[in-house]
Amino acid sequence: MRSLRRLSIAAVGLIVLATTGGFTAGRGNGTPAWSLSPTGVTVRFRGLAAVSASVAWVAGTAGTVLRTTTGGRSWQSVGPADAAALQFRDIEAFDRDHAVALTIGEGDQSRVYVTANGGRSWTETFRNDEPAAFYDCMTFLDRRHGLALSDPVDGKFRILATTDGGHSWTVQYGAGMPAALDGEFAFAASGTCLVSSGHDAWFASGGGSVSRVFRTTNFGRTWSVVDSPIPSGASAGIYSLAFRDPWHGIAVGGDFATPTVAPDGSATTRTGGRTWTVSRTVPGEYRSGSAWARGDTALAVGPTGSDVSFDGGRTWRPFDAGSFDAVDCAGGACWASGEQGRVATLRWGH
């Protein structure tokens, strides 16, 4: 729904100070806590790419892209010079030098930029020329193969594909895509409405009569789809997916318009997304981002707080009341980003 998208693009939330409430973790698990990393800016970062404990990229409003190579102690502004009027919602980084970033919006506001030198220069490699398309998120299955997702055009979700690391893109027209439901779309909330593991990729939806999960096993040429138990509505559905491997995945969401109430707002799969089961204990509030931290440990974040699961998403416990939109983990390190320039790294207590 485009009205929701405009609301989410324009919305500026109140600053919510991070707190580190605690809970008694299970045996062998530490208690997580976010440690804020001052960025010096106040834009909203919905795009986040964790590379390691030292390197991370964030991308957000006003064409802003920041990069750290010091574990968040300092940040460099490395955004494209011509993107100040655009809004980044996703960034995928391979290392400290190579990254691909997606801006979102109707028509030519949806673009892709690529850098190979840490953001010192960028090349625009895709500009949408379909007025009805609205790109939400992207993923890379390896360093060469990537996919980007647009809301439905002519009744089907549209997929953009690259085989050269984002330097060129081809629209995968809808022959291999199931028909969209009335009102169905994806959420450009955290860069995780489209994710991958190995050679498989999944994307999630809301807005229609039921939230759904789509899956491809052939680099986006054909897709299957299943219903999920997470409630859907005008501004409700699955906002984020995360897969630990091709079989084990989590889905989180809720309703952007009612962030403090999200019944049945998380689900798990052990079948590669073919079936989904509501979590026994859900976060209970709208969550826009999710990630696997280590082993069975998973994280979920949203504007009202963060939650942790030590059993693969079956039960969740809150651990922080601060506002974040996105979360990502790599090399044993987890990062979160959100409104008012908020970026944090995760530490584990005992």
Side-chain angles (χ1 to χ4, degrees), residues 150-166:
S150 166
D151 287 340
V153 176
D154 296 328
K156 292 184 177 182
F157 283 94
R158 175 168 287 200
I159 295 293
L160 197 64
T162 180
T163 59
D164 58 9

Side-chain angles (χ1 to χ4, degrees), residues 39-346:
T39 60
V41 299
T42 57
V43 304
R44 190 164 201 161
F45 291 122
R46 292 186 184 270
L48 168 64
V51 176
S52 66
S54 300
V55 179
W57 302 65
V58 290
T61 53
T64 306
V65 179
L66 304 184
R67 183 192 68 150
T68 182
T69 58
T70 61
R73 292 190 298 276
S74 61
W75 292 86
Q76 299 170 302
S77 179
V78 297
D82 63 346
L86 301 174
Q87 299 204 35
F88 287 102
R89 288 295 179 91
D90 199 354
I91 187 165
E92 304 289 326
F94 306 114
D95 50 42
R96 61 186 293 159
D97 294 320
H98 297 81
V100 184
L102 172 73
T103 66
I104 61 104
E106 296 175 341
D108 66 3
Q109 298 296 293
S110 289
R111 306 177 191 180
V112 177
Y113 292 83
V114 175
T115 182
N117 56 16
R120 291 193 298 275
S121 63
W122 294 81
T123 301
E124 181 186 313
T125 59
F126 172 77
R127 182 179 296 201
N128 176 45
D129 60 3
E130 168 54 64
F134 188 114
Y135 285 85
D136 298 291
C137 45
M138 64 180 175
T139 189
F140 274 82
L141 292 79
D142 53 43
R143 291 183 72 107
R144 294 186 300 117
H145 295 88
L147 303 171
L149 172 70
S150 166
D151 287 340
V153 176
D154 296 328
K156 292 184 177 182
F157 283 94
R158 175 168 287 200
I159 295 293
L160 197 64
T162 180
T163 59
D164 58 9
H167 292 281
S168 63
W169 297 84
T170 303
V171 174
Q172 307 284 83
Y173 290 99
M177 178 67 69
L181 303 174
D182 289 344
E184 190 176 22
F185 57 85
F187 295 100
S190 64
T192 51
C193 62
L194 169 66
V195 299
S196 56
S197 178
H199 290 165
D200 296 350
W202 302 261
F203 71 84
S205 73
S209 58
V210 62
S211 64
R212 304 198 292 174
V213 178
F214 295 70
R215 180 187 185 213
T216 182
T217 59
N218 55 16
F219 298 100
R221 290 188 294 275
T222 60
W223 297 79
S224 58
V225 63
V226 298
D227 294 350
S228 94
I230 294 179
S232 186
S235 55
I238 300 172
Y239 277 72
S240 175
L241 294 172
F243 274 80
R244 184 178 69 192
D245 53 44
W247 302 104
H248 298 84
I250 54 177
V252 301
D255 192 331
F256 176 88
T258 57
T260 60
V261 180
D264 295 340
S266 66
T268 65
T269 181
R270 295 182 177 182
T271 61
R274 295 179 181 87
T275 58
W276 293 85
T277 303
V278 172
S279 303
R280 290 198 300 268
T281 304
V282 300
E285 299 179 340
Y286 158 65
R287 293 293 179 254
S288 56
S290 60
W292 291 92
R294 57 188 187 189
D296 283 339
T297 302
L299 303 169
V301 301
T304 62
S306 300
D307 304 272
V308 64
S309 172
F310 293 115
D311 56 9
R314 291 187 291 277
T315 61
W316 294 90
R317 301 176 180 180
F319 70 90
D320 187 279
S323 175
F324 292 108
D325 295 309
V327 59
D328 194 24
C329 302
C334 294
W335 300 73
S337 66
E339 63 180 337
Q340 296 295 324
R342 286 167 53 85
V343 179
T345 56
L346 196 71

